[in-house]
Amino acid sequence: MSVQVRHSLESPRRGWAFRWLGGRSSPAPAAGPSPEAESVGHFIDELISDGRDAFALLKSAADHVTEEDARRAWESLEQRMALIPFGRLVLGRSDGGEELVEVPAFYLDRHVVSNQMFQRFVASGCYDCLELWPREVWPSLLQFTDRTGQPGPADWSNRTYPSDRANHPVVGICWYEASAYARWVGKRLPTAAEWQKAGGWPEHLGGGRCTRYPWGDLFDPARANLRSSGIGDTVPVDAYRNGATPNGIFQMSGNVWEWIEDLLDAVPCDSGEEFHPWKPMRRIVGGSFDTYLPGEATCHFVTGQGTLDRRANIGFRCALSADRLREQPGN
Amino acid sequence: MSTGVRYLDRSTRLGGQVPCPLCGGSLRGESCIECFAPAEVIESILGRPTFPRIVGILGPSGVGKTVYLGMLLDLLSHGVGPFHGMARGPFSLALQRQVMLALERQRFPDKTPVEADRWQWVHCEVSTGKRHGFDVVTPDVAGEAVASELESPGTHTTVRTLIERCGGLVVLIDTVGVIAEGQAQEMFAMQLISYLESMHGQRRRKMDIPVALVFTKVDLCEEPIDDPLAFARAHASALWRMCDARLRHFKFFCSSVAGSCGRLVDRDGGELLIPLRVEPRGVVEPFAWLSGLLR
């Protein structure tokens, strides 16, 4: 099924998207209602429709977005994302030690990015939009193609996902594609510390030590799509409600591994050993439908994948620092 | 020995000497003096009503035999599709335990020693969902010993016995080696098949022993996954031709156990390949195919 996209980066409104994408300064707002304000309101609707509501709530855009438009964007964002409050947590180090780190408040997507959501990114021509991609990956962009040689995830055809998988996680995308999508929606990939905090929340019950799984410390095969579930494939992004975190983030354990921001530059080693990846690797977290050992699907487990690899069991979700957003109405 | 020798004839049992059911040698002390099969393996085999199927899982040193076998046992013990495996005797669990404990620590298990009397053996009772299952017996053979036997037949009795008695053979081939290191992997597999033919071949007829050819470590190079046969034709064409000419039943597979690998460097500069996680692929499939054809 293809999704009709109402605008693209090539549309007359691309100026807004590009300004907000890079946080650049914009013209001063017009005083009172005007055709431009109505146009902005319509643009906010489109951003919300595309899952890019974060752009309407950035502090840098506050002068251009009315309270009413911001209220609608907040409603949308809070449906899609959950707030993880400021807190401290204990992170394991590669030498076996531990360190206490502070994690500022942030929002995390409640669901991994689905095929249907990623379709908007593809249909908007984002694979050709160099502003979204770091310069070092430009030579590889032509290799990020689907089965038919069109830009898109590896398991798609003709820029379209398999018809029965609209609500399944988008897979077959490398770290750069995940990162570009996150940038396109005004967000970013989460860090390992953020992931651990969100997946093991509320950590204060354990004195800063996050729980192993979103539901506690004991593995429960009924709460996550791992190999032990016997499904052997992805499931829709909103499945396994009973495995969600207390604040409603789904599938932090199981279904697909998820790209995060951190490099994989160390793994737990014995004394005198050092980890040397043979190609640039980023951390992935959470385990997937083919994860064999439940302990690998915890929020503490350290593993990774080559930055350019496009695997059938790796997807992603986005995060957003709370301090980048304007205040909520009524706060 | 408390178990009865149920499938051996009565005169053999009354003779007081228990022959090794694998090679026909005799048990002395802790192992067979000919093929070094441990006493516990011999007793385990003798305790069953039918002679088990012998499966050879062979390949060059470092190809991943121990990991493949340990992972296969673990998968079977949990049940995969209609297949379910049950270890017969604690010795059969030792290899599985060694492999899984290592993988949980994000390490590969220690290398199998060259000496045959230090190899680990497995006797596994396999049910298939059909009325009758079967037993499988296989040792974890050191690659160097296989190479030695192929070069100089008779130097490693255990390898010779295994290939002589096997009802099916799994030949492991290192995928990265095939792509990056010339013909060594292909030649090893060809030597093995040629050796097998010297044991089982008949004039003008293809061999009936089924052979599964498994490209291992495809997590490091995923190229063969979609079509292992096409990969074999393109990258190991001599091997493919030999199989086609000599074997009645053969099939190419791909397998990996690690989802991704990295390397550790120690103080002395020594490098160690490590699995970054466990994602078994294509481990049971060769065994499942083979099980329907075992002789």
Side-chain angles (χ1 to χ4, degrees):
Chain A
M1 186 183 73
S2 66
V3 175
Q4 190 174 4
V5 177
R6 288 184 291 163
H7 76 96
S8 75
L9 289 173
E10 301 304 319
S11 74
R13 296 192 186 92
R14 61 177 287 176
W16 276 94
F18 275 89
R19 279 197 299 276
W20 288 352
L21 198 61
R24 296 171 191 162
S25 61
S26 301
S34 67
E36 185 185 350
E38 287 179 15
S39 173
V40 171
H42 185 61
F43 182 38
I44 302 297
D45 287 339
E46 291 183 340
L47 287 175
I48 290 172
S49 172
D50 282 351
R52 307 176 68 207
D53 36 31
F55 277 120
L57 297 172
L58 295 176
K59 282 178 180 172
S60 57
D63 290 343
H64 310 289
V65 181
T66 67
E67 286 291 320
E68 178 51 33
D69 286 342
R71 190 186 307 276
R72 284 185 294 119
W74 269 118
E75 285 175 9
S76 168
L77 185 129
E78 291 199 314
Q79 281 180 3
R80 299 179 207 264
M81 305 187 85
L83 175 66
I84 292 89
F86 166 88
R88 298 177 180 84
L89 75 155
V90 178
L91 276 182
R93 291 197 312 254
S94 60
D95 63 1
E98 293 179 331
E99 60 184 326
L100 192 66
V101 298
E102 289 188 345
V103 179
F106 68 103
Y107 284 86
L108 187 66
D109 284 348
R110 296 184 187 278
H111 304 113
V112 290
V113 175
S114 67
N115 280 314
Q116 198 168 38
M117 292 163 69
F118 200 79
Q119 173 89 61
R120 299 168 189 267
F121 174 78
V122 176
S124 295
C126 293
Y127 278 88
D128 299 325
C129 181
L130 293 182
E131 287 87 346
L132 290 169
W133 307 84
R135 186 174 291 269
E136 74 263 20
V137 81
W138 287 1
S140 301
L141 274 176
L142 293 177
Q143 295 171 3
F144 298 161
T145 56
D146 63 21
R147 294 178 190 276
T148 57
Q150 301 293 317
D155 64 330
W156 290 23
S157 297
N158 293 316
R159 298 178 181 239
T160 305
Y161 49 81
S163 58
D164 58 344
R165 290 179 168 255
N167 204 28
H168 283 237
V170 63
V171 293
I173 39 98
C174 70
W175 181 85
Y176 286 105
E177 291 166 278
S179 195
Y181 175 92
R183 195 156 184 243
W184 182 66
V185 296
K187 304 177 189 176
R188 59 176 171 77
L189 298 178
T191 65
E194 287 174 338
W195 182 272
Q196 184 173 321
K197 189 166 190 298
W201 188 83
E203 81 287 345
H204 60 271
L205 296 179
R209 293 181 185 278
C210 300
T211 55
R212 286 166 60 81
Y213 303 97
W215 55 84
D217 283 325
L218 291 179
F219 177 63
D220 181 348
R223 292 178 187 257
N225 181 21
L226 301 174
R227 197 177 201 283
S228 54
S229 72
I231 295 171
D233 200 353
T234 58
V235 297
V237 299
D238 54 358
Y240 289 95
R241 176 175 291 275
N242 62 351
T245 62
N247 57 341
I249 306 174
F250 284 60
Q251 297 173 5
M252 294 290 280
S253 181
N255 208 20
V256 287
W257 291 100
E258 297 179 32
W259 290 115
I260 56 174
E261 182 64 28
D262 303 50
L263 284 165
L264 183 72
D265 52 8
V267 298
C269 292
D270 294 334
S271 175
E273 292 177 336
E274 275 186 14
F275 176 67
H276 288 242
W278 38 46
K279 57 183 175 182
M281 299 182 97
R282 296 275 173 170
R283 284 186 64 175
I284 55 173
V285 286
S288 66
F289 61 86
D290 56 356
T291 293
Y292 193 70
L293 303 174
E296 297 183 352
T298 63
C299 54
H300 306 82
F301 182 69
V302 180
T303 186
Q305 192 68 40
T307 313
L308 290 169
D309 293 346
R310 307 172 93 212
R311 290 288 184 91
N313 61 354
I314 305 179
F316 71 102
R317 76 180 75 213
C318 301
L320 183 59
S321 299
D323 65 3
R324 289 191 67 202
L325 301 178
R326 64 193 285 169
E327 285 195 6
Q328 288 199 51
N331 281 0
Chain B
M1 195 186 314
S2 60
T3 52
V5 189
R6 280 181 256 175
Y7 63 88
L8 294 179
D9 66 32
R10 184 175 171 77
S11 61
T12 305
R13 276 183 281 160
L14 291 177
Q17 184 93 10
V18 177
C20 171
L22 293 168
C23 69
S26 52
L27 178 65
R28 185 175 300 164
E30 295 183 352
S31 63
C32 169
I33 57 172
E34 295 291 331
C35 71
F36 301 104
E40 50 203 351
V41 176
I42 292 171
E43 290 173 11
S44 179
I45 293 173
L46 294 179
R48 299 290 286 165
T50 55
F51 191 79
R53 318 293 173 89
I54 310 292
V55 175
I57 298 177
L58 302 175
S61 179
V63 76
K65 292 181 294 296
T66 304
V67 175
Y68 177 85
L69 185 52
M71 194 75 237
L72 175 66
L73 293 172
D74 203 65
L75 285 160
L76 290 175
S77 70
H78 288 97
V80 182
F83 291 92
H84 201 284
M86 185 94 69
R88 295 205 60 83
F91 69 91
S92 295
L93 290 166
L95 177 67
Q96 178 183 348
R97 179 174 178 275
Q98 177 200 346
V99 170
M100 296 314 297
L101 290 182
L103 291 176
E104 283 179 4
R105 290 183 54 243
Q106 292 181 296
R107 297 290 190 276
F108 287 117
D110 293 339
K111 197 167 159 43
T112 301
V114 176
E115 299 81 14
D117 56 351
R118 294 175 61 196
W119 294 349
Q120 297 187 89
W121 286 69
V122 170
H123 182 181
C124 185
E125 187 181 341
V126 180
S127 61
T128 62
K130 297 176 182 173
R131 191 172 175 191
H132 297 293
F134 57 90
D135 287 12
V136 166
V137 169
T138 188
D140 178 29
V141 179
E144 292 88 343
V146 184
S148 174
E149 176 62 22
L150 295 181
E151 291 292 332
S152 308
T155 53
H156 270 272
T157 318
T158 315
V159 176
R160 185 176 184 83
T161 301
L162 179 65
I163 296 178
E164 196 173 34
R165 298 297 303 265
C166 75
L169 190 62
V170 179
V171 180
L172 302 185
I173 306 162
D174 189 313
T175 305
V176 177
V178 168
I179 294 171
E181 296 165 14
Q183 297 184 50
Q185 295 285 324
E186 183 182 12
M187 295 302 293
F188 193 99
M190 291 171 70
Q191 274 186 296
L192 254 178
I193 291 166
S194 186
Y195 188 99
L196 184 72
E197 189 180 34
S198 71
M199 298 280 184
H200 298 272
Q202 293 178 334
R203 280 186 183 178
R204 299 179 186 173
R205 285 183 58 189
K206 291 183 177 181
M207 267 186 292
D208 282 331
I209 303 284
V211 177
L213 300 113
V214 183
F215 294 110
T216 60
K217 307 178 185 177
V218 290
D219 58 289
L220 294 172
C221 173
E222 298 203 336
E223 189 180 343
I225 285 180
D226 289 340
D227 192 342
L229 179 58
F231 179 80
R233 282 176 165 170
H235 296 273
S237 59
L239 171 62
W240 170 74
R241 285 176 195 282
M242 184 181 204
C243 291
D244 197 42
R246 308 277 177 82
L247 300 171
R248 188 180 301 279
H249 308 288
F250 73 95
K251 190 170 182 181
F252 286 91
F253 296 88
C254 288
S255 83
S256 67
V257 168
S260 185
C261 287
R263 64 188 164 131
L264 293 183
V265 178
D266 63 25
R267 286 194 184 106
D268 303 325
E271 291 194 3
L272 182 69
L273 184 73
I274 59 164
L276 291 173
R277 58 184 179 275
V278 179
E279 279 173 15
R281 290 186 288 180
V283 175
V284 174
E285 285 82 347
F287 180 80
W289 174 80
L290 207 62
S291 71
L293 298 165
L294 280 177
R295 294 176 58 80

